Amino acid sequence: GFTKEDKGAVLLKQIEIIKQIIPLHKRLQDSKQIEITTSPYYHPILPLLCNQESAKVVLPKLSLPKKRLLAIEDAKIQVERAVQTYRKHFGQNPCGMWPSEGAVSDDIIPILTQAGFRWLASDEEILACSLGNHIVRDGHGEILVPDILYRPYQINVQGNEINMVFRDHNLSDLIGFQYSKYNVDVAVSDFISRINNLKKYTNNGRPLLVTIILDGENAWEYYPHSGIDFLRKLYGVIRDDADLECVRIRDYLEEYPPEQTLTHLSPGSWIGHNLATWIGHEEKNAAWDLVEDTRSFIVNQQEGESLLSKNDSIIKAWEEIFIAEGSDWFWWFGDDHVTHYKDEFDRLFRLHLKNVYKLLDVDVPRRLDVPIARTALRKPYTYPKRFLDVKLDGVVSNYFEWLDAGRYNASKDMDTMHRTYGQPINDIFFGFDVDNLFIRVDFQKDLFSQYRERGKLVITFFEPEELQVYTSVFVEEPLRFKVENKSRTCDKKDYCSISLDKIMELSCPFV
């Protein structure tokens, strides 16, 4: 029952509130009450841009893409762009970074140090793997040797030095996933008791640094009152405890610099201390192959120019590449995460890659029309069951003629049809006998009349190599078709084994 005016008022209020977010955080930063971190600009997984082989360090049997993307320069630009954006909004350079998904490796350290970062953070399991041991917890989840985790480290990779902290995985997940189910007082009491259990430990007179990191937005929608009651109660208890202090990481590092150095970081993320969430599955690898193909295309177009070419079309094309390198596309590919909008992610990902070719005025490769996602529950096609016996007369001669054919239902393939209506094709049937491929096309009668005078049909096969079957104009007598292989010359002779009446039927020999 809301009116247009009602909705307009709500929208204006939302915009008003959103506009306050960055200025508020800048004021809190400038008053030294908070420290703000950043991440690479389009949220790529930096280790996978620098060296995809790093994903096999923890998972040696992980399947990788057919083509190895090597995009260290892209990683540098993604980081530099983050610094520039931070400086624009907050008036200073960032000090710390939480890399996208906490994903780290040795390869990213020179990039971060050269960009001016003083510290970065990741997960405790990365620390455990880097040290070659496990961080042992008791039955209550308490760490038995706290000073291993609750301290900063210096990372030194080939002379590139940066400070690093590792989050307490258990405490972070309690806030992120568990305490929303608790009474506020119980949740805060449990958390503080876990912190208080650490008071008996010392680290050579240095206070323990307990780092808690979680997605800043995801947890609170599950809490009563959006988590405000929990957060106010928690910070109130910490404020009133003389032995606890909330600190900015930069301030702790300034007063208590790291005493221990790591010369190697085990490649991985906060998820299972590996990178398999974004690479390794057939779909994820296929997406990476498309990125590599498209990136190689633009590099060849530049003929050795810098990535930061001043050509406007080149600049816009690279922007599309950087967008396609973002982690979320690969998060949704594969079968480890589920969303009703997988088709949209798939289509948008390929659209960004298509834009590269369009910006450079080059025909878009047909492979970018093929959906990457193969695990959707809805399949718009079936496979042939037996050999076909087809009479090419443009009508369904008998019930059994196409009964055992494979069938593609265009109306069910919402991705390929880009969710539009009024497509001239209803169904495509396909099958074969020993010598021939058979194809049947059923048109929408009302729409097909618009194409009969000037239309022709082109059928493109993408694999194992691109090949096209294309007909003469529908009104020509007799109707004919040709077969053309895009990768090699072949005999383009006319075939007349085709008929168009109520349906189109054609037979093409296997040659």
Side-chain angles (χ1 to χ4, degrees), residues 286 290 333 346-347 349-350 354 365-374 415-416 460-463:
L290 292 178
F333 288 132
D346 188 342
R347 180 172 57 82
F349 171 77
R350 289 181 286 110
K354 288 180 181 182
R366 298 288 185 137
R367 62 182 175 274
L368 289 176
D369 289 326
V370 182
I372 297 167
R374 309 286 187 182
D415 179 80
T416 299
T460 302
F461 296 86
F462 299 112
E463 296 176 353

Side-chain angles (χ1 to χ4, degrees), residues 26 92 162 166 201 210 212 226 232 234 251 255 285 370 385 390 433 441:
K26 185 178 186 303
Q92 59 182 256
I162 193 170
F166 299 89
Y201 298 99
V210 182
I212 299 160
S226 300
R232 286 181 174 166
L234 176 62
D251 294 336
E255 189 169 356
N285 291 348
V370 182
K385 301 179 183 69
V390 174
D433 60 17
V441 182

Side-chain angles (χ1 to χ4, degrees), residues 57-76:
V57 172
V58 176
L59 300 172
K61 295 183 179 180
L62 190 72
S63 173
L64 293 184
K66 296 175 184 177
K67 304 172 183 178
R68 297 292 189 271
L69 177 73
L70 183 60
I72 296 174
E73 288 300 314
D74 299 24
K76 292 178 180 177

Side-chain angles (χ1 to χ4, degrees), residues 89-100:
H89 290 296
F90 298 106
Q92 59 182 256
N93 288 334
C95 182
M97 171 178 278
W98 169 256
S100 313

Side-chain angles (χ1 to χ4, degrees), residues 10 112 150 160 167 247 262 447 454 460 476 506:
V10 172
L112 300 185
Y150 302 133
N160 296 279
R167 73 172 192 149
V247 297
L262 297 177
L447 288 171
R454 52 187 171 80
T460 302
E476 286 190 12
L506 69 85

Side-chain angles (χ1 to χ4, degrees), residues 154-387:
Q154 183 180 78
I155 310 299
N156 187 322
V157 176
Q158 298 178 347
N160 296 279
E161 296 179 346
I162 193 170
N163 300 314
M164 191 163 183
V165 297
F166 299 89
R167 73 172 192 149
D168 184 307
H169 193 114
N170 188 46
L171 289 177
S172 301
D173 282 358
L174 282 171
I175 294 178
F177 304 111
Q178 298 298 323
Y179 286 153
S180 59
K181 306 168 188 174
Y182 293 18
N183 171 277
V184 168
D185 291 337
V186 173
V188 171
S189 175
D190 180 81
F191 183 85
I192 293 298
S193 69
R194 293 172 186 270
I195 297 294
N196 285 337
N197 286 339
L198 300 173
K199 290 181 178 179
K200 58 181 177 286
Y201 298 99
T202 60
N203 183 15
N204 298 325
R206 298 158 61 99
L208 298 181
L209 177 67
V210 182
T211 305
I212 299 160
I213 302 174
L214 58 145
D215 281 350
E217 78 283 8
N218 286 345
W220 314 119
E221 63 185 289
Y222 298 101
Y223 277 74
H225 202 197
S226 300
I228 292 174
D229 297 338
F230 171 80
L231 289 168
R232 286 181 174 166
K233 178 78 173 180
L234 176 62
Y235 280 109
V237 172
I238 293 173
R239 177 198 59 207
D240 295 338
D241 190 317
D243 296 323
L244 300 179
E245 181 183 359
C246 289
V247 297
R248 301 188 306 169
I249 291 176
R250 65 192 301 168
D251 294 336
Y252 184 94
L253 290 171
E254 188 169 333
E255 189 169 356
Y256 304 103
E259 295 180 315
Q260 186 169 342
T261 298
L262 297 177
T263 58
H264 166 66
L265 276 180
S266 179
S269 70
W270 73 270
I271 304 177
H273 61 273
N274 62 59
L275 300 170
T277 299
W278 304 275
I279 198 169
H281 187 281
E282 177 186 1
E283 292 180 7
K284 302 176 194 290
N285 291 348
W288 280 117
D289 281 336
L290 292 178
V291 171
E292 202 284 331
D293 282 344
T294 310
R295 188 184 187 279
S296 294
F297 162 77
I298 189 174
V299 168
N300 293 335
Q301 290 285 305
Q302 287 186 256
E303 297 180 347
E305 290 183 45
S306 165
L307 262 65
L308 299 176
S309 166
K310 294 183 180 179
N311 179 295
D312 186 59
S313 295
I314 292 289
I315 291 172
K316 291 179 179 177
W318 273 114
E319 199 72 16
E320 299 291 340
I321 293 290
F322 299 149
I323 292 170
E325 290 170 346
S327 68
D328 279 358
W329 310 113
F330 304 92
W331 175 281
W332 293 117
F333 288 132
D335 50 13
D336 45 354
H337 297 105
V338 178
T339 174
H340 293 297
Y341 305 104
K342 186 169 185 174
D343 289 347
E344 280 85 346
F345 276 102
D346 188 342
R347 180 172 57 82
L348 287 169
F349 171 77
R350 289 181 286 110
L351 177 62
H352 285 297
L353 296 179
K354 288 180 181 182
N355 287 342
V356 172
Y357 296 91
K358 294 176 182 177
L359 284 163
L360 300 180
D361 198 25
V362 175
D363 289 342
V364 175
R366 298 288 185 137
R367 62 182 175 274
L368 289 176
D369 289 326
V370 182
I372 297 167
R374 309 286 187 182
T375 57
L377 297 177
R378 182 191 73 248
K379 286 187 177 181
Y381 59 87
T382 59
Y383 292 108
K385 301 179 183 69
R386 298 175 184 85
F387 282 165

